[in-house]
Amino acid sequence: GYDFVRQKDVDQFITGMGNSTFIVGHNRWATRGNLTSQNAHPFEHKHICLVHNGTVSKTSDLHHKSLDVDSHMIAVSIADQGIDATKNFLWGAYSLVWYNSEQETLNFLRNKERPMWFIHTQQKAIVFCSEPQMGVWIAERRGFKVDKIEETLTDTLYSFDNTKDCSVPETMPMVPERKTWLPTPYQKPDNVYSIEEKSLLKTLARTYKQGEEFKFSLNDFDEE
């Protein structure tokens, strides 16, 4: 990212954006698909342009034979089926940001596996990022005064409307429209355990004795 923003083309692009309401940047760590330009974010399909932080573990419900990247599959699914239908198939980690050119909205949605923060400034601009300390540093470096730091809620769609008058800072919608879902229902494949079983596994992991054996899935444990 550091090398990228130092390129002359990028500098000319940024300085030439004028009064754009929304600016989105993304750094890809490839977990699915080869390192090609076609597999780089953002992914655009019809009226949806999307970036995705995370990895969807089950892509069979989103599968498109011509696509290699789960993020690309999500963009296609939102464009073709809408976010309500797509969210039912998102198993894994995700923090999504997408622009809907038909509705002229910038949308944010994440689950508990990935972070997303809004850095609200006194100048009515909002910086969004995965790491709040980085967002504050970037905002202050550019001369913005931080007013509030907000972690977005999980399973909650934040939608900023570009059709509203944003010609002056005071009219910038500081609070986006929201839509909240219930958390994705838990499904138990053969190698995944319930919350109660996970608690038991964690206890065993701390207290098991040499020679004792128990089976588990690596996905059942957090970093601890």
Side-chain angles (χ1 to χ4, degrees):
Y2 175 78
D3 292 332
F4 176 75
V5 297
R6 287 168 58 90
Q7 295 184 31
K8 292 183 179 180
D9 290 346
V10 176
D11 183 64
Q12 292 174 0
F13 172 77
I14 293 176
T15 56
M17 286 187 296
N19 295 321
S20 299
T21 306
F22 305 133
I23 303 170
V24 179
H26 184 275
N27 239 1
R28 180 194 183 212
W29 178 268
T31 54
R32 291 182 182 272
N34 296 324
L35 293 173
T36 64
S37 298
Q38 291 74 20
N39 289 342
H41 296 239
F43 291 102
E44 191 167 0
H45 182 75
K46 297 180 179 178
H47 56 287
I48 298 298
C49 184
L50 174 142
V51 296
H52 167 215
N53 176 24
T55 303
V56 175
S57 56
K58 178 183 177 184
T59 59
S60 57
D61 295 320
L62 297 168
H63 183 62
H64 292 263
K65 292 182 178 180
S66 61
L67 305 180
D68 297 326
V69 181
D70 53 341
S71 309
H72 198 173
M73 298 177 191
I74 296 172
V76 171
S77 181
I78 293 176
D80 292 345
Q81 303 184 59
I83 185 57
D84 292 274
T86 300
K87 190 181 182 301
N88 294 330
F89 303 133
L90 297 180
W91 301 99
Y94 62 86
S95 178
L96 304 172
V97 181
W98 73 92
Y99 183 70
N100 185 322
S101 62
E102 289 185 349
Q103 300 175 355
E104 296 189 44
T105 56
L106 186 67
N107 303 276
F108 299 80
L109 175 65
R110 76 177 182 96
N111 67 356
K112 64 180 182 179
E113 305 298 331
R114 287 294 182 272
M116 175 64 72
W117 293 79
F118 289 159
I119 312 300
H120 298 263
T121 70
Q122 294 180 9
Q123 289 87 346
K124 308 300 181 183
I126 300 175
V127 177
F128 71 91
C129 52
S130 300
E131 301 176 18
Q133 298 89 344
M134 181 66 72
V136 170
W137 175 70
I138 291 173
E140 291 180 341
R141 188 182 68 170
R142 301 298 296 178
F144 291 95
K145 295 185 181 297
V146 174
D147 185 45
K148 181 178 66 174
I149 303 173
E150 172 191 11
E151 184 177 20
T152 62
L153 300 174
T154 59
D155 300 294
T156 301
L157 175 66
Y158 292 73
S159 184
F160 290 89
D161 191 345
N162 193 34
T163 63
K164 297 179 181 179
D165 182 13
C166 299
S167 57
V168 291
E170 287 71 24
T171 62
M172 182 69 179
M174 292 296 289
V175 180
E177 297 180 5
R178 296 184 184 180
K179 176 179 181 179
T180 304
W181 291 271
L182 292 174
T184 304
Y186 181 78
Q187 290 187 346
K188 182 182 178 182
D190 293 337
N191 64 337
V192 180
Y193 300 89
S194 67
I195 295 176
E196 291 78 13
E197 289 169 323
K198 287 183 179 182
S199 178
L200 174 60
L201 284 170
K202 289 186 176 183
T203 301
L204 287 171
R206 295 188 180 97
T207 63
Y208 78 97
K209 298 177 181 179
Q210 184 173 355
E212 293 180 338
E213 179 181 310
F214 62 95
K215 296 181 180 180
F216 62 92
S217 167
L218 292 179
N219 294 327
D220 296 327
F221 294 89
D222 54 24
E223 293 182 357
E224 179 185 359

